[in-house]
Amino acid sequence: TLRASRAAMVAGESVRAMDLLRDRLDHPGTAQDPLVRADLLSTLVIRARILDLPVDSIALTDEAMALLGDEADERRVRVLVARVQALVDQGSFVEAAVVGNEVSLLAERLGMVGAVAEVRTIMARVLEAQEDLAAVEPLALIHLLRCRRDPLCRSRLALYHL
């Protein structure tokens, strides 16, 4: 379903792409893997935003997060990216900063350069929307706390402040 939906999007058939996703979510069948459902949900959220279609992004990403295990993998990154964007769209900037930091660090650790760039772009919008440097404080504090345990991160932080 994900491949067929992606192909429909590439072919310019966005309505068909969304219908495929919604149909699979509405009629999962008995053998649908929860992780596949999480992929479908996060893809639906991301594509609905691209196409400016109304969906309850927070509820959909909540469900996707509940389906994920504790595995720190690319699937978690995709779901968290959708979550960050949903939080920004809702105006929950502080929570978006926390989730954005989490997904940024995970994506970087997994070598997902495109996801890191996407999250940084979203986080720039958070700062722009806030128009207040105080909005950066929760994100910076979390980042500093995590950096205390990671020598590579401490080195990057030191270079950044040179």
Side-chain angles (χ1 to χ4, degrees), residues 85-101:
Q85 188 61 67
L87 290 166
V88 169
D89 291 345
Q90 178 183 298
S92 300
F93 300 118
V94 173
E95 188 178 352
V98 172
V99 175
N101 184 57

Side-chain angles (χ1 to χ4, degrees), residues 58-159:
I58 298 297
L60 293 172
T61 56
D62 280 345
E63 182 181 347
M65 290 299 299
L67 294 169
L68 297 177
D70 293 330
E71 191 72 27
D73 59 5
E74 290 183 11
R75 178 176 282 118
R76 178 174 294 283
V77 169
R78 287 190 304 270
V79 171
L80 287 172
V81 167
R83 177 74 176 180
V84 168
Q85 188 61 67
L87 290 166
V88 169
D89 291 345
Q90 178 183 298
S92 300
F93 300 118
V94 173
E95 188 178 352
V98 172
V99 175
N101 184 57
E102 177 186 349
V103 69
S104 180
L105 292 173
L106 177 58
E108 190 172 326
R109 191 170 81 228
L110 295 173
M112 297 176 68
V113 179
V116 171
E118 185 175 357
V119 171
R120 287 183 180 160
T121 301
I122 295 168
M123 297 313 296
R125 282 187 252 145
V126 169
L127 298 177
E128 182 181 296
Q130 286 289 82
E131 295 181 0
D132 182 6
L133 291 179
V136 180
E137 289 178 7
L139 178 64
L141 178 60
I142 291 167
H143 187 68
L144 287 173
L145 290 173
R146 287 187 177 168
C147 275
R148 288 190 340 203
R149 294 174 288 196
D150 181 355
L152 180 60
C153 185
R154 285 196 309 266
S155 299
R156 287 183 185 151
L157 193 61
L159 285 172

